[in-house]
Amino acid sequence: MKNIRMFFVCLLVVLMSVAVFSAEKVIKVVTDQKTNLEVPYVMSFSELLDLVGEDFDANWYSIRVKDSNGKDLPYQLVDVDKNGKISSKDLLQFTFKKEAKLVVSDDWDLDLLQFAPSLKVEEKDGEYIVSSDKFTVKVNSYGLASFVKFNNAEGNLYNELGTARVAGWSGSTYYVDGYLGKHVETTSSGLKVKELNVFQPGPVAVTVEALLYYEELPGFNQKITTHIFKTGDVIVENEFSFTNYVDIMKLQVMATSPLTSLDDKAVHIMPMFRRMLWAEQLGISPYDYWKERNAVKMVDNNPFIVFPAIDPMKPLWWGSALDPL
């Protein structure tokens, strides 16, 4: 009887030891869900480390993404720095409905879960074709993504997602001697490609990263990162950096030809400008300027500028905005 008691005591000690030395950190991710559609999500491991805390001995390979019922959701990691291991610049991607939980353990026996890829990538004529049974996206040599198919619709559906338009004065030394230099203007397709990375497709998304620079404005650099999700959602992140003094008068991010090949009634929709040169010259507000042209649409009590995409209003609106935010 004494030996049996000793066995149970030892077993209890072992179980308590496991409970003490195996811990988890749980991070909740919530969206204000308006539909029952999956929501795409991207997080860097640097951001995840900030949430988990440096004092927790995390095994990053133990990471799990779970829904509100505790079921494992597909996720994938993007090895951004290509060092073959999880590091701060790498990305975690997943999709979820309403709520998800990120679970990280300090149990070093756990490893990443494996899921089948949901997208295909094919290189053809200098472009990359990202496809699923629902859509097809072309990515050109500048890292710009364009939808050419979505469900039953085919054509130039939405082009050059996240392309930048930049204008400035080449060789400006204005703050030294007042010399502006030559005016130059282009879009991302007019820049030079320093590096293009199309990462392996996974169960959630395909990520494309392009590093571009502008020869006419030495020191101007663009990094465009595009995440094409299995849901058909695309997240584009633009980062502009300067390694030299650059005199810029225009820098905007946009896309081109939205649905115009399918519907000649497609429209441009833009936030109402806070300031606009033409309106100030007339002594009226930007709202009144566009209201007079029957180009204001109210959405949730907020005014938006709306006009035909293939028949722009006169005078042309581009160049007129001093501050569109």
Side-chain angles (χ1 to χ4, degrees), residues 18-27 45 48 52-53 56-66 102-111:
V18 171
V20 169
F21 291 105
S22 179
E24 293 180 340
K25 284 291 184 80
V26 179
I27 299 163
F45 274 85
L48 187 56
V52 170
F56 183 73
D57 187 23
N59 170 18
W60 298 114
Y61 294 87
S62 74
I63 193 165
R64 303 289 187 266
V65 181
K66 298 180 179 292
L102 308 183
V103 182
V104 181
S105 173
D106 63 358
D107 183 351
W108 288 86
D109 291 328
L110 296 176
D111 203 352

Side-chain angles (χ1 to χ4, degrees), residues 190-249:
L191 305 184
K192 296 292 185 180
V193 181
K194 181 178 181 180
E195 188 175 340
L196 176 65
N197 295 304
V198 180
F199 295 95
Q200 289 294 319
V204 177
V206 171
T207 293
V208 179
E209 183 183 82
L211 304 178
L212 313 174
Y213 64 96
Y214 193 9
E215 285 187 324
E216 296 284 357
L217 295 175
F220 176 87
N221 304 276
Q222 178 187 10
K223 182 173 81 170
I224 179 169
T225 306
T226 303
H227 310 282
I228 304 168
F229 282 83
K230 64 179 182 179
T231 56
D233 295 290
V234 177
I235 296 177
V236 181
E237 301 170 353
N238 258 304
E239 179 182 328
F240 300 97
S241 60
F242 304 87
T243 55
N244 192 13
Y245 172 75
V246 181
D247 221 327
I248 285 182
M249 56 81 65

